[in-house]
Amino acid sequence: MAQVQNLVLVLGDQLTPTLTSLAASDPARDRVLMAELHDEANYVRHHKKKIAFLFSAMRHFAEELRGAGWTVDYVTLDAPGHRGSFTAQLAAAVAEHRPERIVVTEAGEWRVAEMMKGWGERLALPVDILPDDRFLTTPSAFREWATGRKQLRMEYFYRDMRRRTGLLMEGDQPVGGRWNFDAENRKPADVDLFMPRPRAYAHDAITKDVLSLVAARFGNHFGDLEPFRYAVTRADAEAAFAAFVKEALPRFGDFQDAMLQGEPFLYHSVVAQYLNCGLLDPLRVCRQVEEAWRNGTVPLNAAEGFIRQIIGWREYVRGIYWLKMPGYERSNFFGHDRALPDFYWTAETDMACVRAAVTQTKEEAYAHHIQRLMITGNFALLAGIDPHELHEWYLMVYADAYEWVELPNTVGMSQFADGGLLASKPYAASGAYINRMSNYCAACRYDVKQRTGPNACPFNALYWDFMARHRDRVGRNPRMAQMVRSYDNFPADERARIAESAATFLASL
Ligand SMILES: Cc1cc2nc3c(=O)[nH]c(=O)nc-3n(C[C@H](O)[C@H](O)[C@H](O)COP(=O)(O)OP(=O)(O)OC[C@H]3O[C@@H](n4cnc5c(N)ncnc54)[C@H](O)[C@@H]3O)c2cc1C
Ligand code: SF4
């Protein structure tokens, strides 16, 4: 065989056949390296299901590449040649194959991107780091968009993305005459025996091997390994998405913010894990959704709501990540420093809403957006949990979690720890919001209607106590000032009871 020119390193979230590093190389001449790395599976102790999903998807992608004529060196976690880290694994492959250069698509995460910068010198080879064109905008284009703006609001970014992609546009105007139908997407849901469920996929030999490996090697990581139902091939991920469009998308808009006991998925797509590792293409899924609307099978508020999440929020948070890293991960606007309570791991709490969100996180490596934002995130914000500790929790426990998307959502959106760079106000809410959007309170040992006392919903006293503790910071926000004024209008003895209830509850954590 001729000497290898390019050694193409494909990372675990780069499972896309049109990846720039592959497009710049030649299957007849070059060699692909993929590896299940101990360091990557452990730098935070990821949920067992997340590790199993990625290892199985990676192994299937290696097969897909071999089928397309590539020579792939795939190093499993338990292989004798396993070196544990990207750099050590590359060094071993360079020694064996003596390539002329290393070719890689840029990393999604700052930590790995920094590592890549050192490879040229360390391995004494040229390293071509190519842009990742699986996103609709680049970090430098986002920086340009952000430059000179007083506020970086997602809504304006999103409108630009609609114009650029032409999605849901009629000429230069949004279809339906409005950019955003969010106000129609806040209905509480009813229990429905015919609620659609995400497609479940049987285990083939590859997945069975991976499940045994993960059970043996990551038994002490958080979460349940089985039942394991994810798609692990591109074809199955596409089929799962097509099923969502047909069965759940028509009601996705209306019930996007709803929560129901025993219904972890409601009408959500459950595809972020496929998008984020490259099994699904973001623009393609948006075009499919637009087509469903044009065919009359889904309403506009559902199609617009879904497309906004992908070309709006997903791209926007990535832009913020690269704009603000490094350093963003240590943001702490409110100076919160309380340790994460044990029930984020055990789900052992009397708060029915938190118990439901953590239980399904443990079982499914999944919670939908409003559970992440308004239950576990909201509780952490009100209780003053250290945002960095919380960030590590979110990064560990969800199958779709990668730092570029998780960090801005946690630190910026949910904890307001960046002081309002990403969100226009803190997402702080009392039990009344949770009661309106879910049926959790009906079965809770706490009373959502009570503000203080041992039986009162803890979110209530914590909410008002948060306003009191941070009045200097939140009172300046026009959208929060009204709540601070409401607190000030409480009689003095009620304010004292709020402080006491909050302190008693926090001391019990
Ligand atoms: C504290 C917190 C942490 C989060 N961590 C992650 C994470 O690690 N990875 C991740 O992909 N999303 C994260 N999100 C965003 C969102 O909650 C998930 O994308 C969504 O719940 C995934 O479920 P789904 O595929 O059913 O999404 P759906 O509700 O069906 O939405 C469709 C798609 O839109 C995209 N999307 C929706 N909201 C967002 C958002 N706010 N930011 C980026 N993309 C979005 C996702 O790709 C998602 O698959 C987080 C949100 C919060 C509040
Ligand atoms: S009463 Fe409070 S703690 Fe209980 S489920 Fe409702 S919001 Fe959650």
Side-chain angles (χ1 to χ4, degrees), residues 20-221:
T20 46
S21 56
L22 292 167
S25 304
D26 178 356
R29 184 196 62 202
D30 302 324
R31 215 174 171 99
V32 172
L33 172 65
M34 296 180 70
E36 298 167 3
L37 297 171
H38 175 272
D39 284 9
E40 293 305 306
N42 283 288
Y43 84 96
V44 293
R45 294 157 59 82
H46 300 286
H47 194 300
K48 294 187 200 78
K49 262 198 177 94
K50 179 183 186 182
I51 300 176
F53 164 65
L54 270 177
F55 283 4
S56 182
M58 286 169 68
R59 291 184 189 193
H60 283 91
F61 184 63
E63 290 304 310
E64 189 183 337
L65 289 181
R66 286 183 184 123
W70 289 94
T71 305
V72 182
D73 292 330
Y74 189 97
V75 185
T76 58
L77 190 87
D78 52 358
H82 178 260
R83 296 286 193 280
S85 73
F86 281 124
T87 310
Q89 204 67 57
L90 268 176
V94 167
E96 187 177 349
H97 301 298
R98 309 228 156 268
E100 288 179 9
R101 74 178 72 75
I102 291 164
V103 179
V104 64
T105 294
E106 66 191 349
E109 202 161 305
W110 186 82
R111 178 185 60 88
V112 182
E114 285 300 293
M115 216 186 283
M116 281 183 180
K117 287 185 193 158
W119 286 345
E121 200 181 323
R122 178 89 187 265
L123 304 169
L125 269 186
V127 179
D128 293 352
I129 303 175
L130 305 177
D132 189 344
D133 63 3
R134 298 172 304 162
F135 292 91
L136 304 173
T137 191
T138 61
S140 59
F142 187 86
R143 188 176 292 274
E144 220 167 274
W145 174 82
T147 304
R149 283 176 192 264
K150 274 208 199 105
Q151 289 189 319
L152 303 183
R153 290 294 162 253
M154 198 289 290
E155 182 61 26
Y156 297 108
F157 171 81
Y158 166 58
R159 291 178 190 183
D160 284 355
M161 297 299 285
R162 288 271 294 276
R163 290 189 190 98
R164 268 186 46 199
T165 57
L167 281 162
L168 298 180
M169 295 294 288
E170 264 160 10
D172 60 354
Q173 292 304 309
V175 297
R178 271 157 59 196
W179 291 101
N180 184 317
F181 290 81
D182 208 21
E184 291 167 29
N185 292 359
R186 293 175 191 154
K187 298 193 179 108
D190 287 326
V191 177
D192 175 355
L193 290 177
F194 303 104
M195 184 86 67
R197 289 284 152 92
R199 283 279 185 282
Y201 293 90
H203 306 165
D204 64 6
I206 292 180
T207 299
K208 281 183 189 150
D209 281 352
V210 166
L211 290 173
S212 309
L213 174 79
V214 173
R217 298 289 290 272
F218 301 98
N220 58 357
H221 282 215

Side-chain angles (χ1 to χ4, degrees), residues 259-417:
M259 297 171 278
L260 279 181
Q261 180 69 42
E263 290 293 350
F265 309 110
L266 278 111
Y267 302 98
H268 290 270
S269 64
V270 200
V271 295
Q273 70 280 12
Y274 305 141
L275 286 162
N276 295 350
C277 75
L279 289 185
L280 289 181
D281 177 66
L283 188 55
R284 189 155 163 221
V285 299
C286 289
R287 297 243 182 265
Q288 281 173 262
V289 166
E290 180 183 37
E291 194 185 321
W293 170 70
R294 291 199 187 275
N295 291 340
T297 55
V298 306
L300 184 54
N301 70 319
E304 188 282 317
F306 185 86
I307 287 172
R308 175 161 23 94
Q309 307 310 317
I310 306 266
I311 68 169
W313 281 112
R314 186 170 184 271
E315 295 285 330
Y316 171 79
V317 298
R318 178 171 179 260
I320 295 276
Y321 177 78
W322 286 107
L323 189 67
K324 289 294 163 189
M325 283 299 283
Y328 196 61
E329 76 288 5
R330 290 284 166 191
S331 312
N332 194 351
F333 179 67
F334 292 118
H336 285 163
D337 59 2
R338 189 177 297 280
L340 194 70
D342 277 353
F343 57 69
Y344 275 76
W345 304 110
T346 62
E348 285 167 18
T349 166
D350 286 341
M351 292 180 285
C353 53
V354 177
R355 191 168 62 234
V358 176
T359 301
Q360 74 172 68
T361 298
K362 195 164 157 285
E363 290 173 355
E364 305 288 353
Y366 180 84
H368 68 68
H369 186 65
I370 294 301
Q371 293 176 302
R372 299 186 204 194
L373 186 63
M374 301 311 294
I375 305 288
T376 45
N378 180 26
F379 180 84
L381 174 68
L382 300 182
I385 307 299
D386 175 353
H388 191 262
E389 217 182 303
L390 188 73
H391 142 61
E392 292 199 326
W393 183 80
Y394 280 107
L395 190 56
M396 277 182 236
V397 302
Y398 292 116
D400 55 38
Y402 296 83
E403 195 179 79
W404 64 265
V405 52
E406 174 278 324
L407 184 68
N409 268 298
T410 303
V411 153
M413 189 187 296
S414 130
Q415 299 304 292
F416 205 75

